[in-house]
Amino acid sequence: MTAGAVFLRAAANAGYYGMMTQLFGAQVRGGESAALVQVSTEPIEAQPDRYDLFVALDWDKVEQFAAEIPLDEASVIVADPEAGAVPAGIAKSKGRVVSLKMSDPDAIRLERGLYGKRVNMFAAGAVCALIGVDAKHVQAAIENIFEGKGAELIAANVKGAVAGAAAAPGLTLNFRLDQATLAARWLISGNQALALGALRAGVRFVGCYPITPATDLVEWLAPHLKKLGGRLVLGEDELAAINLALGASYAGTPAMTVTSGPGFSLMVETLGLAVAAEIPMVLIDVMRAGPSTGIASKTEQSDVNLAIYGAHGDAPRVVLAPISVADCINTAEYAVYVAESLQLPVIVLSDQSLGQATTVIDPSSERPKPLKRRTNGVAADKPFKRYAIGPDPITPMPLPGTPGREWVAEGLTHSEAGLPASGAGVHVAQINKRAKKVQRFDPGKYWGESWGEGDIAVLAFGSTIGPARAAARRLAAAGHPIRVIALRVLSPLPMAALARALDGVHRIIVVEQNHGAQLYHHLIGQKAIPPSAESVARPGPLPYRPSEIASYVV
Amino acid sequence: MTAGAVFLRAAANAGYYGMMTQLFGAQVRGGESAALVQVSTEPIEAQPDRYDLFVALDWDKVEQFAAEIPLDEASVIVADPEAGAVPAGIAKSKGRVVSLKMSDPDAIRLERGLYGKRVNMFAAGAVCALIGVDAKHVQAAIENIFEGKGAELIAANVKGAVAGAAAAPGLTLNFRLDQATLAARWLISGNQALALGALRAGVRFVGCYPITPATDLVEWLAPHLKKLGGRLVLGEDELAAINLALGASYAGTPAMTVTSGPGFSLMVETLGLAVAAEIPMVLIDVMRAGPSTGIASKTEQSDVNLAIYGAHGDAPRVVLAPISVADCINTAEYAVYVAESLQLPVIVLSDQSLGQATTVIDPSSERPKPLKRRTNGVAADKPFKRYAIGPDPITPMPLPGTPGREWVAEGLTHSEAGLPASGAGVHVAQINKRAKKVQRFDPGKYWGESWGEGDIAVLAFGSTIGPARAAARRLAAAGHPIRVIALRVLSPLPMAALARALDGVHRIIVVEQNHGAQLYHHLIGQKAIPPSAESVARPGPLPYRPSEIASYVV
Amino acid sequence: MSDAATKPVHDQALCVFAAKDFASGAHPVWCPGCGDYGVLAGLERALATLGKPPHEVVLVSGIGCSSRLPGYMSTYGFHGVHGRALPVATGIKLVRPELEVIAVGGDGDGYSIGGNHFIHACRRNADILYVVMDNRVYGMTKGQPSPTTEPDWDSDIAPGGIGLRPFNPLAIAIASGANYVARGFSGDPDGLANLIVDGIRWPGFAFIEVLSPCITFRPEQSEWKKVVRPTSLTIEQDRAAATAWCSATTASAWVSCTVATARRPRRHCSRKSRLPISNANS
Amino acid sequence: MSDAATKPVHDQALCVFAAKDFASGAHPVWCPGCGDYGVLAGLERALATLGKPPHEVVLVSGIGCSSRLPGYMSTYGFHGVHGRALPVATGIKLVRPELEVIAVGGDGDGYSIGGNHFIHACRRNADILYVVMDNRVYGMTKGQPSPTTEPDWDSDIAPGGIGLRPFNPLAIAIASGANYVARGFSGDPDGLANLIVDGIRWPGFAFIEVLSPCITFRPEQSEWKKVVRPTSLTIEQDRAAATAWCSATTASAWVSCTVATARRPRRHCSRKSRLPISNANS
Ligand SMILES: Cc1ncc(C[n+]2csc(CCOP(=O)(O)OP(=O)(O)O)c2C)c(N)n1
Ligand SMILES: Cc1ncc(C[n+]2csc(CCOP(=O)(O)OP(=O)(O)O)c2C)c(N)n1
Ligand code: SF4
Ligand code: SF4
Ligand SMILES: [Mg+2]
Ligand SMILES: [Mg+2]
């Protein structure tokens, strides 16, 4: 892991783009693992069809990762001969095996224990040298990653990397990349990017309960929130987490909860309350493989149905999905603004694949326009009409503490003044009010994005957009231009924008990572695409490869 | 209330069909209320467009019920002149007002206190006499309803009814019904009928938590379960309730949980577990007006989305809806068989309108064919392959206690032996296994029902079927024959049967009681009906009237 | 016990509000005679005594007859879903510490579906007051046994009685780390108002269990008013009461909670907070 | 304490199984050195001692490192969702009283998300055993403070410490009405096996809190084995220990639960059941 991190950071320091994802074995901690790193002079948004280079530190249980680390005859497998024979699952790729002595038999026990990562650093140093990353960038990366761990440890690791770099030329491999262009870039994961966006938008309260793969999002957020005077509260469960957030939001602080599938399922009752009582809140779901506990650490996009349709009763909400790791920042920021301005829950559907991919991004200078919640109730007759029915379905929600505007947030069917009521008139009026907020919601240019031309369109969301775009580039290069349409707003569907994006398209292919073709059926059910549209849907845990999409299209 | 019950039971005793629904004011207990009773020589399945007779015992806060008690110029309003003037909300119906002295100013305080229902009984007696129900049936009804309350109370109530009957001729009203045909019929509510069906199917364990309008279902069930050696356990919350049921089912006892919207929302996480671990269970949702706490005591059909799509991940389940109060028995029984045989959760979507309508039904002699769960695992290698992948997606689940067949029910992605696994192969294999069980599920004739001919079809489910059929009868009589198609299986949609039922139809109208047209979009999304189909959807709490549907159709 | 919490209740300087200023004017849905009217009165009086203006008070509740209370007061309110009042109240208080946040509800809402939030609120120790109107029944759903219901109470859903030992809110609150634990009686709104004032002033989580009869589904509870003995206000005056109090606040607090002790005003079981107050994690 | 519960543990007549007969053979995902291995060993030994065949035993768990345990045993099992082991176990036991039903899990699973089921299982008193492997951390999610975590334990999610008084499982169990409450240590699988045998034989709900170190996220817990002092087996032999035991089982049980008391075998805090056993409502 650390080897991958050093490699990626060194490459980033040298001006390359890159992305790292990680694989872990079954053991909770300390078992086998693998870091998958790509570097390029171009931005990277998806895992590749194949890897060029495979460096084995040891072979222990590595075969379980074979499906996730595609290799072929053109791949090079670097391994320490002392680690033993290449296991069958890796060897069957027919990749060329190159020997490299990495372990230092002379290292004293203390060195191996205390500085145990030296083999890793050797590998990192060697790979950096192979692609042409300067030693100074490697050193800087090591200093950054081992910051605070002491000079001794850093020196030992640098020593390992230097040894690796020295050994690299002996391999006579050519993986040298073109010269990179230096620019101010960020090394960030999707989870961190979502957290950052939420902070930017003013979120200062987070109610949460740990759950993989969303925990690192809140762990990253915790110290930052603290610095900004905000609060992160660990609830006793997800029911507490979402209700804590809802309370804080009612009290005037933009608030959020962060979870993954199982926690999300537990939250839908209170989600309905946020709809009915019209309280803004953001719920981030970093999707993992389901159903039930599923595979906690692996990706899937199978909570689409729950996000759009979860909760009893008619409970309209807004569902967004980030378009890329970089876009996580803007989508999160936008989500908060939508929630605050429409006074309803906004769900952000990310997934493990986006969330835990550490990526070099070009930070965008453009940010969503801030939108605030309306708190300035008009001079009130008593009682204050929090839920007034009128031309504008969005009605002011004064902050508690405001004199003369006292109101009760109400989850029962209620009158304009927020008192429980059970007549047909009030019930329908309030349902219409809430529905109108969503119907009239116009995301403008935030509806999604569209690239390319041609009469075939691949429609995707979240982490399937990257591979779809990579597939499109490949197809275009082969003379088959297609469009890629990325939906940021999954619900309510941006019908007009989508229709424009689909103009002139004769074949629509909806690509998503779940078994039920959840987005596809949603799009058809809402008449956003015709029943003749095609579906490419399969569950996780493997990420889509560009070739998988490209080969379906042609 | 008691007056309505006596009237309905007396009419039933006399051989009439009938249905009673009840209205309550805001006060938790002891406030204003109204009983809506219909009687007829034909079976009744829906609330009418108008009522013939309105008997006011007092006028206190009665106007709040006006929308739910449609009256017109042809209606007769019977009231005690001492109760004061007819309130505007009732008077505006222009119904003819007839005076009838009901209260007995000479009744001593004890009589009014202890036998306080005498005014009610006077009214019941009078109404029974008006439609021609013999006094002996009234007396039997009173004896039945006040059973165990003592002879003195019964005598006093009978006295009141007799007085009412004696006063009836003086009103010179003609509401006399045709002679009824006596038959063995049942007076039962939809909730009771569901409970009965579940018991018939062998449900012997219920985990529940009280919630209106599902509580009376389990309250009716409790003593019966006890008698049959079963158990009803009141959980500390809905999370406990569904997990209690799941545990009991795993252990071999057909088990069920019963709830309404808010409780259902809390249950979807465990619902996903039942899917993943393949444990049979039945979840009855007696729908009420939502979202959130909504209107607890009023009807709506707005949990369709949650029932079909609730739970994170791909979690295929079966969703059924009873076709009528009488059908609640068979649908519940069938639900249990489907759950047991497919080893998955089956949701029964009833609603307050069906559940709390006390109805005279002809019990059906036909019952669903029993289906049992497969417990006889083949002679096992160790470990036992509970989740074996093979041609049949339904694999035996031996009961705990069976030697040599030990297995672990598992909610994580698991191997055939039920051990947690995270590879793509096992994940996809198990997802496919679960999906296949649902895809191959063939409900046969239980898919739904269809009545009538013509090229217009009204498609409905649950409590909207009754008014749709009433509308169809009216339209047919007026020379506009239409079809009514009732779906019992809402998911997976019975595509072939539905296509047959729709054969030759040019206009499809989906009628449902929610704002979002949830069933309609589901049908379109699954391509069961074309996008050109029409939707009639509105929320509760008012029941659909036949005229509402008829006037949309033509 | 801090100074704030032992201040005399009727501090005239603060009394710029009357109890009626805290009434919303909405007509309660409660049955005539319901104990919750007394709790409403007690709350109104306590807030008047404290002199906090209505707009600086937030009442938070779940679902149940008792949970309807926020709608009947002129303060801000949050009538959420069943069982979740405490996390909502905590969220409000943490971001707006200057507001007076009071969670209210019933025994079903608080001890059954809300039980987990209850025990964790006790340890989280946010500066909120929690008032539970315990009628030992689910009133709103028409009479099922709650966690505090006597094991032999007959009902439709549990014929012959639920057969479970009742949940002991005071003992569990103490075991969970609550510092202010008291019990009041809705039949004594003034005594209750005193407890509420104390509880609000208490610098941390304060819990008041109020015996509040459900006259509709537990009509026998109307007898409570006879069983609740008036005891001397200053227990030090009364050796026997002092002894009883002592034992009640230590080991056996959780077995000796009978109705007879209900009206002892300021019956706090307080332990010095071992941790800073209002530290509902950072 | 009933006779069954005080029977000597090594009743040879019953020992027709060896501990290894209860191992599934699956390789645990636990980190090498995790305390849960000791609990697994203790359970295997206890079941061998009891002589129940594997197929008559059902192990029920939620989610967490500790909750993976059922997969490592050769019995029937139910690995459900996070926090819900107890209602599942109760459902199983109520319909199949002849099966031995044991719920296991962690401090997060049992005291955090599962806290409500915990307190209600104590009062419901179904005849099941509940073993919590308490490592004062969420291990599976990589190191966040659980309800039992010390307030000053630093972690990414709560920098500087969560700042809350720890949840006291023993005190809460007792306050909630549990009759059999004990604490064991995973570093002493034999002592633990004794407790488990006792707990299974106990005719009602039995709760064993096991200190089970997480050597990965709480490496300092490997010191526990040093702090856990061996105390004389029969406390009557030791006046000081007896006194300490006494106070620990009464009022202050919930403040004196330090690691030092962890290894006292058969440290039951038992009160005579006030209600019939296994009465998890009718
Ligand atoms: C999630 C959920 N489950 C169940 C209900 C139904 N319900 C409403 S109030 C209530 C119990 C109320 O009891 P309690 O809190 O004691 O209040 P009381 O009516 O006795 O004052 C229940 C179970 C609900 N509204 N939501
Ligand atoms: C509903 C839900 N929320 C959160 C999680 C994530 N999660 C898995 S295990 C766990 C905590 C485990 O802690 P503990 O029970 O103490 O077990 P340990 O791993 O320490 O043995 C959490 C929060 C989940 N799986 N499901
Ligand atoms: S049912 Fe009971 S608790 Fe509810 S309002 Fe009536 S008396 Fe009060
Ligand atoms: S993380 Fe901790 S609790 Fe989990 S297996 Fe490793 S040592 Fe055990
Ligand atoms: Mg109550
Ligand atoms: Mg733990």
Side-chain angles (χ1 to χ4, degrees), chain A residues 224-431:
Chain A
H224 292 94
L225 256 181
K226 205 169 185 173
K227 243 174 276 163
L228 292 165
R231 259 195 134 111
L232 180 140
V233 180
L234 206 56
E236 50 272 27
D237 57 19
E238 282 87 354
L239 301 160
I242 186 171
N243 279 284
L244 279 160
L246 211 55
S249 172
Y250 164 81
T253 300
M256 164 166 105
T257 185
V258 180
T259 190
S260 186
F264 187 13
S265 277
L266 287 172
M267 289 178 175
V268 296
E269 194 210 3
T270 300
L271 194 80
L273 171 63
V275 172
E278 302 193 45
I279 317 275
M281 65 163 293
V282 169
L283 185 159
I284 293 183
D285 173 19
V286 186
M287 293 183 285
R288 62 192 227 181
S292 197
T293 313
I295 314 176
S297 59
K298 303 266 161 131
T299 201
E300 204 163 77
Q301 297 182 310
S302 51
D303 299 351
V304 176
N305 279 338
L306 186 68
I308 300 176
Y309 298 118
H312 65 281
D314 287 295
R317 81 287 308 256
V318 171
V319 181
L320 305 179
I323 283 174
S324 63
V325 170
D327 180 63
C328 281
I329 305 173
N330 275 3
T331 292
E333 183 170 358
Y334 183 59
V336 177
Y337 295 148
V338 173
E340 290 287 318
S341 61
L342 298 188
Q343 302 174 12
L344 46 62
V346 173
I347 295 162
V348 178
L349 277 186
S350 182
D351 56 46
Q352 185 274 337
S353 184
L354 281 178
Q356 298 191 322
T358 311
T359 307
V360 180
I361 63 164
D362 289 304
S364 150
S365 58
E366 222 187 306
R367 284 177 51 185
K369 203 164 70 53
L371 298 167
K372 295 250 164 279
R373 84 169 73 164
R374 288 180 56 194
T375 53
N376 54 334
V378 282
D381 336 88
K382 283 269 182 181
F384 177 72
K385 292 208 170 130
R386 160 68 182 107
Y387 301 106
I389 300 296
D392 190 345
I394 299 166
T395 49
M397 50 182 297
L399 299 187
T402 313
R405 301 287 185 279
E406 295 83 0
W407 59 279
V408 178
E410 182 58 80
L412 271 76
T413 291
H414 44 257
S415 67
E416 293 181 279
L419 281 169
S422 62
V426 275
H427 185 62
V428 176
Q430 293 294 334
I431 282 192

Side-chain angles (χ1 to χ4, degrees), chain B residues 28-29, chain C residues 29-31 33-36 65 135 139-140 213-217:
Chain B
V28 180
R29 251 304 155 91
Chain C
V29 297
W30 295 325
C31 310
C34 174
D36 297 348
C65 297
N135 53 12
M140 186 56 109
C214 171
I215 54 96
T216 296
F217 297 105

